[in-house]
Amino acid sequence: MSLFKEIGLSSAILKAIEELGFETPTEIQEKAIPFLLETNNDLIGLAQTGTGKTAAFGLPIIQHIDIETKSPQSLILCPTRELCLQILSDFKHFCKYKKGLNVVAVYGGTDIYAQIKQLNRGAHIIVATPGRIYDIIRRNKINLSNIRTLVLDEADEMLNMGFKEDLDAILEQTPREKQTLLFSATMQKGVAQIAKRYMQEPFEITAGEKNIGAENVDHICYMVHARDRYLALKRITDINPDIYGIIFCRTRKETKDIADSLIKENYNADVLNGDLSQSQRDSVMKRFREKSIHLLVATDVAARGLDVDDLTHVINYNLPNEDEMYTHRSGRTGRAGKSGTSIVIINMREKSKIKRIEKNINKKFTFCQVPTGDEICKKQLFSLIDRMETVEVNQEQIAPFMDEVNEKLSHFSKEDLIKHFVSLEFNHFLSYYNDAPNLDFDHQGKSQKTEKQNRGKGSSPESGFKRFFINVGRKDKINALGIIKMVNNQAGEHNIEIGAIDIKPCFSFFEIDENYANTLLEAFKGLKIKGRNIFLELAKAEKNTSKDSYSRGKKRFNKKGKNKKQKKRR
Ligand code: AMP
């Protein structure tokens, strides 16, 4: 492995990166920097975020800037305002000792006139989101005719976000004779098309293999009933007391529902989605970066600009719609040489998607059992003991209170004292998981819950699902697969998510994604099978709906009033 000073960087840049603690180049830097210092050829860099690609393209760009030429010489396009600001901040550090070099960032959600003013003062390098720079171009407020290097950073993300037309229009405005650098985590079709159209014989480098998730990420899969997803999520977070991660959901509504439920149950969580204003987004991201929030429930779009290096976990509450998106999600952990875990929670019907993702990332998932209540309690107990062991005791500050404290506790034996202190913090976990059911599917694909724990008529469905009653049951030789087939055939759709299925002797209940409830009711109207009328209707909610014993345990706990002033659970 070479050192930075061996790859041709100027002393001003070497001094700046030394101050940042960069000693040896990362893989992408080792491959890209000498190439970019020596040639004007186009380059495609296939690399995840977190691999050091900003310096890989940034350092050669800075080295080549002619300070005396006052018009923009380099344009860096990236998908989000947050990434823009990140690149701006990195560049400012890199060019600390290259006096007079001006880097300006332009992005949406902020006053455009102030940005135009900044550009007018002279920018050697512009970092921009496509939408905002195109707006400035259309207003004729920028001259891109001297651009020598154009960077498309996170090109796949820009396309996923619908910037294709803006990109085409911007690229048309830049001179033909320029160097184009394209960085992307995946070489999806649209990216390949851009490369074909706008690049000339690009040299291709890969840091890690194409389309592969970060090396040091473990991929773990938990398979549960669709309706148990949320309970499984809580257990996954409870078995990881030091978790610091993003929980990805598919819709804004889902992020809000999940975050609200977690917050209500005293988890240290918050939501990041497109419904937030810019200042709310900034505030949530700031608190997450500072680790005052440990779990961020986010949509893919909202999480795009969030760059955090030390996430321990990424949790896919739902699998992404596009398989490729999984690479982006999981690549948010295991960065900067650290290890990370990417978790997916699936139902039985999603197993085939896992196979496709495995192919895509060229790695296998480990299928794990959802932690049991006992396992969680043990883990939490020992985590508490560890924290107690290592807590810093401020002898001086505590000394004035100790006589009184000692006197108050004098009747306790050492053993009882330990039990009381541990119980103070730990009781809520014991009660919470008291008699908690097993959430796993066994090998036959049935949940291992006891009958008592299975939901009968009218129990409330999982959030986002509607529960139906149908007048066919075991006596009609119907099984779960038969119900799934019937739903798919009648609705003419094969992607409807089906939750719990409960087959009784003469009738059955099942749950489906609430978005398809009306379609299904319509589709079953007047249905006859072998001359028999088939009735489908929404199940009536039982008045005193009992949830699973897990929740009941918690309710009991509440009734005793011990949970009233529950602390944040992490
Ligand atoms: P990037 O992929 O450019 O967002 O970089 C990810 C993180 O790695 C950032 O915090 C960089 O400051 C850091 N970094 C980049 N290159 C190096 C290097 N050669 N040595 C140490 N840290 C680096």
Side-chain angles (χ1 to χ4, degrees):
M1 195 180 278
S2 56
L3 295 172
F4 276 110
K5 48 180 176 278
E6 291 162 6
I7 56 177
L9 290 165
S10 68
S11 55
I13 291 179
L14 286 174
K15 192 172 169 198
I17 59 174
E18 198 185 312
E19 281 182 14
L20 292 173
F22 293 12
E23 283 171 12
T24 45
T26 63
E27 188 185 357
I28 185 106
Q29 291 163 358
E30 202 171 14
K31 290 176 176 173
I33 294 174
F35 176 85
L36 296 175
L37 288 177
E38 280 162 26
T39 78
N40 280 329
N41 294 348
D42 290 350
L43 174 112
I44 294 178
L46 290 171
Q48 305 280 330
T49 47
T51 51
K53 65 183 162 59
T54 316
F57 64 77
L59 302 181
I61 286 178
I62 289 171
Q63 184 142 322
H64 283 146
I65 292 291
D66 172 9
I67 303 281
E68 300 312 317
T69 305
K70 299 291 177 201
S71 55
Q73 294 158 52
S74 184
L75 172 64
I76 296 150
L77 297 175
C78 63
T80 60
R81 161 197 155 105
E82 286 74 21
L83 188 54
C84 236
L85 290 168
Q86 180 71 45
I87 296 174
L88 175 73
S89 152
D90 286 352
F91 269 54
K92 284 196 166 159
H93 285 118
F94 298 157
C95 67
K96 184 171 171 194
Y97 296 105
K98 184 150 176 166
K99 291 288 167 229
L101 196 152
N102 208 4
V103 191
V104 171
V106 295
Y107 43 82
T110 324
D111 180 16
I112 194 167
Y113 299 105
Q115 292 178 345
I116 292 172
K117 238 188 212 168
Q118 270 189 300
L119 290 173
N120 287 341
R121 271 188 234 125
H124 297 100
I125 300 172
I126 302 172
V127 189
T129 51
R132 178 50 60 99
I133 191 78
Y134 187 42
D135 196 347
I136 295 174
I137 291 172
R138 273 182 313 204
R139 292 167 190 242
N140 246 334
K141 297 291 180 198
I142 183 104
N143 172 8
L144 297 179
S145 62
N146 278 327
I147 291 292
R148 290 210 310 253
T149 314
L150 177 92
V151 181
L152 300 167
D153 192 18
E154 302 208 354
D156 46 354
E157 293 276 353
M158 287 197 280
L159 293 176
N160 289 341
M161 288 176 77
F163 282 132
K164 166 103 181 49
E165 281 170 19
D166 287 352
L167 284 180
D168 284 336
I170 298 162
L171 286 160
E172 295 298 337
Q173 296 286 323
T174 56
R176 272 194 163 275
E177 292 307 312
K178 66 176 181 302
Q179 183 179 40
T180 303
L181 317 178
L182 182 151
F183 290 87
S184 183
T186 58
M187 199 59 188
Q188 52 179 260
K189 212 166 129 204
V191 178
Q193 278 168 353
I194 290 232
K196 197 167 165 213
R197 185 152 168 213
Y198 295 107
M199 299 176 84
Q200 284 162 21
E201 297 175 25
F203 180 62
E204 194 175 307
I205 56 176
T206 306
E209 284 177 60
K210 280 182 209 178
N211 290 348
I212 287 197
E215 259 318 297
N216 31 357
V217 176
D218 288 328
H219 301 265
I220 291 180
C221 180
Y222 293 100
M223 192 159 77
V224 295
H225 266 307
R227 65 176 303 146
D228 288 335
R229 233 180 255 270
Y230 178 68
L231 295 180
L233 170 72
K234 288 200 300 185
R235 290 193 187 192
I236 291 162
T237 57
D238 285 345
I239 198 83
N240 291 290
D242 298 321
I243 194 165
Y244 174 49
I246 303 181
I247 299 165
F248 282 103
C249 297
R250 273 201 292 240
T251 62
R252 293 175 190 187
K253 182 177 180 307
E254 195 172 54
T255 52
K256 181 155 188 328
D257 290 348
I258 301 298
D260 283 352
S261 303
L262 287 173
I263 293 164
K264 212 157 100 193
E265 297 194 71
N266 295 305
Y267 285 84
N268 190 356
D270 214 329
V271 67
L272 183 71
N273 68 24
D275 291 334
L276 304 188
S277 68
Q278 189 61 53
S279 64
Q280 286 172 320
R281 278 170 61 93
D282 289 347
S283 155
V284 171
M285 288 198 198
K286 183 164 175 281
R287 285 184 291 127
F288 187 57
R289 280 198 195 96
E290 287 167 351
K291 300 197 177 154
S292 38
I293 298 169
H294 293 170
L295 293 168
L296 194 64
V297 190
T299 56
D300 291 293
V301 174
R304 255 166 203 154
L306 185 68
D307 223 16
V308 181
D309 276 345
D310 47 357
L311 295 184
T312 59
H313 289 75
V314 160
I315 301 180
N316 295 263
Y317 186 75
N318 269 308
L319 286 173
N321 290 331
E322 309 254 334
D323 294 345
E324 295 234 325
M325 190 56 83
Y326 180 80
T327 317
H328 287 287
R329 288 184 178 183
S330 58
R332 291 179 165 278
T333 181
R335 285 177 171 200
K338 298 189 179 102
S339 58
T341 307
S342 174
I343 289 173
V344 299
I345 307 172
I346 60 164
N347 63 30
M348 196 178 50
R349 285 161 50 85
E350 293 171 314
K351 230 179 151 183
S352 61
K353 289 190 189 168
I354 291 293
K355 292 231 155 52
R356 289 206 311 262
I357 292 175
E358 284 180 333
K359 250 188 174 168
N360 224 11
I361 58 171
N362 205 12
K363 270 189 167 185
K364 288 270 174 220
F365 277 84
T366 309
F367 279 76
C368 290
Q369 304 238 308
V370 180
T372 62
D374 284 350
E375 286 165 343
I376 291 166
C377 287
K378 199 167 161 195
K379 187 76 190 244
Q380 287 286 347
L381 175 62
F382 284 100
S383 160
L384 171 66
I385 302 293
D386 282 348
R387 278 192 287 136
M388 192 132 87
E389 227 186 333
T390 52
V391 71
E392 213 173 293
V393 177
N394 188 326
Q395 303 287 0
E396 225 174 275
Q397 275 187 335
I398 208 167
F401 308 103
M402 283 315 291
D403 283 347
E404 210 174 323
V405 171
N406 282 333
E407 201 188 316
K408 253 187 155 327
L409 299 176
S410 59
H411 63 286
F412 281 115
S413 67
K414 180 184 164 196
E415 212 170 78
D416 281 343
L417 200 58
I418 293 173
K419 278 187 201 159
H420 274 252
F421 271 103
V422 166
S423 301
L424 195 66
E425 281 278 326
F426 186 56
N427 266 357
H428 67 267
F429 274 105
L430 286 176
S431 303
Y432 202 52
Y433 284 111
N434 176 31
D435 200 20
N438 192 336
L439 299 182
D440 255 314
F441 268 86
D442 64 14
H443 297 302
Q444 283 78 48
K446 290 177 196 151
S447 170
Q448 293 172 336
K449 286 173 193 167
T450 62
E451 188 57 33
K452 186 179 85 178
Q453 290 151 351
N454 273 331
R455 286 105 177 138
K457 180 185 175 197
S459 75
S460 56
E462 193 192 22
S463 143
F465 283 74
K466 284 268 190 264
R467 186 171 172 85
F468 286 92
F469 163 88
I470 189 165
N471 65 336
V472 286
R474 249 191 311 272
K475 284 188 179 151
D476 305 294
K477 297 200 169 39
I478 193 91
N479 57 16
L481 199 63
I483 297 269
I484 292 171
K485 275 189 185 161
M486 207 189 305
V487 169
N488 285 338
N489 289 344
Q490 283 311 117
E493 271 271 359
H494 288 264
N495 287 325
I496 301 179
E497 192 164 354
I498 301 184
I501 299 175
D502 191 3
I503 315 264
K504 305 281 185 204
C506 301
F507 52 86
S508 307
F509 294 97
F510 64 88
E511 293 172 9
I512 65 156
D513 181 340
E514 65 184 2
N515 294 316
Y516 292 93
N518 288 337
T519 313
L520 203 69
L521 285 171
E522 276 302 308
F524 271 77
K525 261 187 194 160
L527 178 67
K528 276 188 180 186
I529 297 182
K530 293 182 186 160
R532 175 165 167 211
N533 288 323
I534 306 292
F535 297 115
L536 178 83
E537 58 187 50
L538 282 170
K540 291 174 190 70
E542 210 170 57
K543 277 190 184 125
N544 293 317
T545 307
S546 59
K547 296 233 171 171
D548 61 1
S549 66
Y550 178 7
S551 316
R552 287 204 301 273
K554 190 161 162 41
K555 261 189 192 158
R556 267 206 309 274
F557 180 39
N558 278 337
K559 271 187 202 156
K560 283 181 188 168
K562 287 183 185 169
N563 195 24
K564 294 249 164 76
K565 280 196 216 151
Q566 216 177 43
K567 289 186 187 135
K568 281 249 181 261
R569 305 181 69 217
R570 55 184 44 83

